[in-house]
Amino acid sequence: GTFHIFSVSGLHVGMIAVILWQLLRAFSVVRLSCVLVIIPALFFYSLVTGWKPSSIRAATMTAIFLIGMVSSRQPVPLNSLCAAAFVILAQSTNELFNPGFQLSVTVVAAILLFSAPIQKLLRAALLPDSFIPTELWTRFQKVRCTLAGITSGLVAVSLAAWIGSLPLTLWYFQLVSISALVANPIIVPLTFVI
């Protein structure tokens, strides 16, 4: 359940996109210019790392989401995912039968659909008593609130990805990786730092 850490995949492409976005925004580069720099950089990264289907899929999905960010409307991530899947399938219809494509789309869809509700439930369980006004929180309670947000977000994404990948990993590999639920919230942030 942690193989995505070691292969050039959506995680790495996403990290490159976030790093470039933060770097460009730190220098007050406007959104459109950021997108015009990041999209070619992502495909260049895919080319440099061997033009693997997983990195091409991730670059395509990220590019479509970034294009949606600079359009006149608020992007809908699930629509961006469907558009990216359509573009990938228009280029090669055989991708529909590729387990990598199926896993990419279902895991991203599961993250988009399930992570926010899971995070809300987890965060509510970790927050201090809701009847105490935030102005009266102790330093410990404020730190606990911050840690609850970070921890619940990492666990929610890991759980949502696990839920999304479970049917396909059972079908193709006859495996259930429970350890991924614990390992991913720890390993993914460390990978980003590295």
Side-chain angles (χ1 to χ4, degrees), residues 38-166:
I38 293 172
I39 291 174
L42 294 180
F43 284 102
F44 179 73
Y45 176 76
S46 296
L47 180 66
V48 168
T49 58
W51 204 244
K52 305 274 194 242
S54 60
S55 63
I56 296 168
R57 279 193 300 271
T60 303
M61 289 179 186
T62 306
I64 289 175
F65 180 75
L66 288 171
I67 290 167
M69 284 181 61
V70 295
S71 68
S72 59
R73 294 191 235 173
Q74 181 69 22
V76 178
L78 204 54
N79 288 353
S80 297
L81 175 64
C82 292
F86 178 78
V87 167
I88 292 166
L89 290 173
Q91 182 267 330
S92 173
T93 54
N94 286 336
E95 282 293 307
L96 183 61
F97 306 104
N98 181 341
F101 172 80
Q102 294 169 3
L103 279 165
S104 294
V105 172
T106 56
V107 166
V108 172
I111 290 170
L112 293 174
L113 292 172
F114 303 133
S115 66
I118 292 170
Q119 181 179 11
K120 187 176 178 182
L121 287 172
L122 292 173
R123 185 179 167 104
L126 297 171
L127 287 176
D129 190 349
S130 60
F131 290 111
I132 300 173
T134 56
E135 298 85 22
L136 299 177
W137 282 2
T138 64
R139 179 175 294 228
F140 173 75
Q141 289 172 320
K142 291 177 183 177
V143 169
R144 181 177 163 189
C145 178
T146 302
L147 290 176
I150 295 168
T151 305
S152 63
L154 291 170
V155 171
V157 170
S158 180
L159 183 58
W162 185 79
I163 290 168
S165 67
L166 184 62

